[in-house]
Amino acid sequence: MESKQKLFYLPEAHTDFIYAVISEELGFIGAAIVIALFVVYGWRGMRAAFAAPDGFGRLLALGITAMVLSQALINFAVVLGMVPTKGIPLHSSATADRVCSSCCWQPGVLLNISQQAAEA
């Protein structure tokens, strides 16, 4: 595909404006799928939080879910031009080591909380 956005028309197209590149590459359906995946992540995270067997697991699941969804909402708003650029990359598409390591452990913790809730 011939994308124009990744040819340095956008500042930080590989992190801050990755949703614009994804939307241009995959079209409306791809952009809607990305949003739908974040909605599913939020739904599953809230479900794990409400089913957690203890208060700590409930707050941890709620915090992880809120952090991921707030990063996504801020990134979507930046790409759409609703807020100024904040430097917050879209979750799980970042190239920084610090952000990528958190992208790996957060779903694992949510799955663990969900699994403990199923066993209880």
Side-chain angles (χ1 to χ4, degrees):
M1 298 187 183
E2 298 195 23
S3 174
K4 301 268 188 229
Q5 301 296 338
K6 60 185 175 186
L7 299 175
F8 304 114
Y9 287 110
L10 286 174
E12 301 298 327
H14 62 287
T15 56
D16 295 350
F17 289 94
I18 192 69
Y19 186 67
V21 175
I22 291 171
S23 298
E24 185 182 24
E25 291 279 339
L26 302 177
F28 177 74
I29 301 296
I33 287 173
V34 170
I35 292 175
L37 288 174
F38 277 106
V39 168
V40 168
Y41 189 95
W43 173 65
R44 295 289 298 179
M46 296 301 284
R47 191 169 142 195
F50 290 134
D54 59 345
F56 177 73
R58 188 174 302 115
L59 288 176
L60 185 63
L62 187 64
I64 289 173
T65 304
M67 185 170 59
V68 170
L69 292 182
S70 65
Q71 285 179 350
L73 288 175
I74 290 171
N75 187 274
F76 294 153
V78 166
V79 169
L80 293 174
M82 297 165 62
V83 296
T85 304
K86 301 290 183 196
I88 298 175
L90 191 61
H91 196 74
S92 75
S93 68
T95 58
D97 295 334
R98 174 180 53 86
V99 177
C100 275
S101 65
S102 71
C103 294
C104 294
W105 67 262
Q106 289 171 349
V109 170
L110 278 178
L111 286 172
N112 189 357
I113 294 169
S114 172
Q115 183 180 15
Q116 287 179 1
E119 291 173 359

